[in-house]
């Protein structure tokens, strides 16, 4: 089984394109441990199977995967295996700015962020009444914010010709999700592979799903997880994890740097940090944007090319270099 190591550029969900139809569901999710030291890794495992009344037919589609983690966490490696009649297949995927932004828009949580990924357009099938399934394992690196946290997973797909068919861009470069969230038929059902498919299955609770649907419907947006997996028992989530202080003697400066994540996008940079003020500087040292970090993150405008991103708070500052598209 091939692993993809992603310290700088995340490649997530090889083989998740095997789910690229509108009829799959999470059957179980788990963590390798419910406790992790700050700066160490924990493994998330997700099992996916056919949710349809018949074999899912061959269907070319993009597949999506999203995981909600604390704001200073990251993904270090991911592998996935699809078993069909004893044969395993691996397929690469890549980070998806669209799916990340969509999940942050629909299911935000203070102190958390979504990491979204997508495959190329692939053709696969999942059988029913068999042991065929996809098993995805994601190695997640904990940040340096200690305490108790709950993770979540969402998956989906789209049969559109291109991912760009699912959205438009606003003048400020942010996403407009009207094609995904309110492109409905007269009877209220999604047209084509829109909201009912991009949010095909996930661990979002019934309460959160209901509250977000009611709130966002005021703006004619209708997010909803189709096949929800209940992961709570007696009020405790199967994806609950406690981050404990590090025992390796890491310095405060190293902890600050590890607790900050900066990812370059198209004309922007996304910053994940617990708090502070984020600022972007171009190659000439001129500040191009500055924002206070809210709810564990901030998106700043950035010129194309190499930029410096500074995150400053009362404890000091961290500077990271990124290449903006």
């Amino acid at each position: 089984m091939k692993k993809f190591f992603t310290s700088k550029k995340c490649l997530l969900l090889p083989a998740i394109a095997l789910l690229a139809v509108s009829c799959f569901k999470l059957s179980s999710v788990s963590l390798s441990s419910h406790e992790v030291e700050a700066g160490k890794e924990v493994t998330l495992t997700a099992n996916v199977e056919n949710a349809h009344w018949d074999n899912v037919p061959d269907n070319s589609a993009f597949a999506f995967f999203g995981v909600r983690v604390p704001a200073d966490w990251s993904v270090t490696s991911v592998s996935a295996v699809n078993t069909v009649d004893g044969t395993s297949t691996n397929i690469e995927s890549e980070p998806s700015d669209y799916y990340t932004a969509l999940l942050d828009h629909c299911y935000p949580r203070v102190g958390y962020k979504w990491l979204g990924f997508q495959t190329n357009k692939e053709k696969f099938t999942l059988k029913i009444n068999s042991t065929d399934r996809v098993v995805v394992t994601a190695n997640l690196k904990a940040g340096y914010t200690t305490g108790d946290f709950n993770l979540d997973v969402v998956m989906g797909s789209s049969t559109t010709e291109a991912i760009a068919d699912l959205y438009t861009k606003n003048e400020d470069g942010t996403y407009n999700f009207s094609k995904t969230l309110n492109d409905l038929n007269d009877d209220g059902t999604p047209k084509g592979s829109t909201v009912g498919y991009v949010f095909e299955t996930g661990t979002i609770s019934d309460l959160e799903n209901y509250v977000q649907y009611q709130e966002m419907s005021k703006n004619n947006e209708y997010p909803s997880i189709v096949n929800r997996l209940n992961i709570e028992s007696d009020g405790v989530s199967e994806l609950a994890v406690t981050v404990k202080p590090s025992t390796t003697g890491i310095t405060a400066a190293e902890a600050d740097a590890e607790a900050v994540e900066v990812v370059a996008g198209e004309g922007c940079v996304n910053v994940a940090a617990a708090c502070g003020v984020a600022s972007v500087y171009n190659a000439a040292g001129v500040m191009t944007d500055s924002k206070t970090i809210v709810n564990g993150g901030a998106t700043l405008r950035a010129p194309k090319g190499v930029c410096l991103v500074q995150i400053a708070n009362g404890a000091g500052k961290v500077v990271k270099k990124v290449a903006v598209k």
Side-chain angles (χ1 to χ4, degrees):
M1 179 172 68
K2 186 176 180 181
K3 279 193 174 182
F4 299 87
F5 293 89
T6 55
S7 59
K8 296 277 178 114
K9 180 180 179 182
C10 297
L11 294 175
L12 187 57
L13 276 190
I16 196 61
L18 298 167
L19 310 180
V21 288
S22 62
C23 304
F24 59 86
K25 65 180 181 180
L26 282 165
S27 57
S28 67
V29 292
S30 63
L31 292 173
S32 56
S33 174
H34 292 285
E35 292 185 352
V36 61
E37 277 191 28
K40 301 298 184 180
E41 292 187 5
V42 63
T43 299
L44 184 154
T45 301
N47 290 277
V48 188
E49 62 185 31
N50 192 339
H52 202 246
W53 57 271
D54 198 356
N55 290 339
V56 175
D58 288 348
N59 195 9
S60 292
F62 298 95
F64 298 108
F65 172 88
V67 57
R68 184 164 61 185
V69 295
D72 59 354
W73 284 41
S74 60
V75 176
T76 58
S77 68
V78 169
S79 61
V81 174
N82 176 245
T83 303
V84 180
D85 297 330
T87 300
S88 299
T89 306
N90 294 316
I91 293 180
E92 292 187 9
S93 68
E94 61 184 16
S96 171
D97 290 341
Y98 159 75
Y99 206 56
T100 297
L102 177 65
L103 289 166
D104 277 328
H105 178 67
C106 294
Y107 300 104
R109 178 177 290 175
V110 175
Y112 289 77
K113 66 181 178 182
W114 283 96
L115 299 173
F117 304 83
Q118 70 188 52
T119 68
N120 292 321
K121 201 167 187 179
E122 303 287 350
K123 180 180 288 187
F124 289 96
T125 185
L126 285 175
K127 295 182 179 180
I128 197 170
N129 298 325
S130 74
T131 58
D132 294 348
R133 65 188 71 254
V134 175
V135 179
V136 180
T137 57
N139 292 322
L140 309 176
K141 184 176 182 180
Y144 287 86
T145 303
T146 57
D148 299 325
F149 303 95
N150 291 303
L151 312 184
D152 278 290
V153 170
V154 170
M155 295 183 182
S157 66
S158 172
T159 56
T160 53
E161 289 301 315
I163 297 298
D165 294 336
L166 292 170
Y167 64 85
T168 58
K169 285 287 190 75
N170 299 314
E171 290 185 0
D172 62 358
T174 58
Y175 286 95
N176 182 320
F177 297 115
S178 60
K179 289 185 177 181
T180 300
L181 297 176
N182 62 19
D183 190 11
L184 304 178
N185 296 312
D186 292 339
D187 62 359
T189 59
K191 288 182 179 178
S193 52
T194 51
V195 65
Y197 299 153
V198 296
F199 294 153
E200 176 66 19
T201 187
T203 63
I204 300 298
S205 70
D206 287 346
L207 178 60
E208 182 178 4
N209 191 64
Y210 174 80
V211 169
Q212 286 302 105
Y213 185 93
Q214 294 298 316
E215 184 63 27
M216 296 184 69
S217 64
K218 298 174 183 178
N219 296 319
N220 295 319
E221 295 181 327
Y222 307 96
S224 184
I225 306 297
V226 179
N227 297 313
R228 290 187 297 280
L229 174 65
N230 181 16
I231 59 172
E232 288 195 3
S233 177
D234 296 326
V236 179
S237 169
E238 294 176 30
L239 294 183
V241 61
T242 298
V243 180
K244 294 187 171 184
S246 172
T247 60
T248 59
I250 190 169
T251 67
E254 289 172 328
D256 285 341
E258 288 284 355
V260 172
E261 182 180 2
V262 179
V263 179
E266 294 184 6
C268 67
V269 292
N270 298 298
V271 177
C275 62
V277 175
S279 303
V280 177
Y281 297 84
N282 63 18
V286 177
M287 181 189 295
T288 61
D289 198 7
S290 182
K291 289 183 179 179
T292 299
I293 295 170
V294 178
N295 295 338
T299 298
L300 297 88
R301 299 187 307 276
K304 185 176 181 180
V306 176
C307 294
L308 294 179
V309 181
Q310 174 183 284
I311 299 88
N313 56 37
K317 65 181 180 180
V318 172
V319 178
K320 296 198 175 187
K321 182 185 294 185
V322 293
V324 179
K325 301 176 183 178

